[in-house]
Amino acid sequence: MISARYANALFALIMSGLMSCVVTGIATLKAIGFSPSTLGDWMASWAFCWPIAFTVILTLGPFVKRLIARLVRPEA
């Protein structure tokens, strides 16, 4: 098991991987359509974007959490 102190980093890693995979897949299909090279182009795009998405989630995550805390009313 992974220590709970790494929960935020693990969340960022998994969420950024999933979201960047879906978004780059959609963008690749829209840009080039289905072809023999689509999968390879998608994977290249995903490999480029995943580290960027991970960094963004790690750096902006705390800000977004604070923003959400201000926008929602606590439950009674």
Side-chain angles (χ1 to χ4, degrees):
M1 269 320 226
I2 298 171
S3 172
R5 72 185 223 192
Y6 298 112
N8 286 337
L10 187 59
F11 173 84
L13 181 70
I14 293 170
M15 181 58 75
S16 64
L18 292 171
M19 285 300 299
S20 61
C21 181
V22 170
V23 171
T24 56
I26 293 168
T28 302
L29 284 174
K30 182 167 180 357
I32 64 173
F34 287 105
S35 73
S37 68
T38 299
L39 183 60
D41 292 338
W42 175 17
M43 292 297 106
S45 180
W46 184 32
F48 177 79
C49 291
W50 190 353
I52 296 167
F54 178 65
T55 303
V56 168
I57 290 175
L58 273 181
T59 57
L60 295 181
F63 167 75
V64 172
K65 286 181 182 179
R66 286 191 304 271
L67 177 63
I68 297 301
R70 289 182 176 193
L71 293 174
V72 299
R73 183 174 13 136
E75 292 187 24

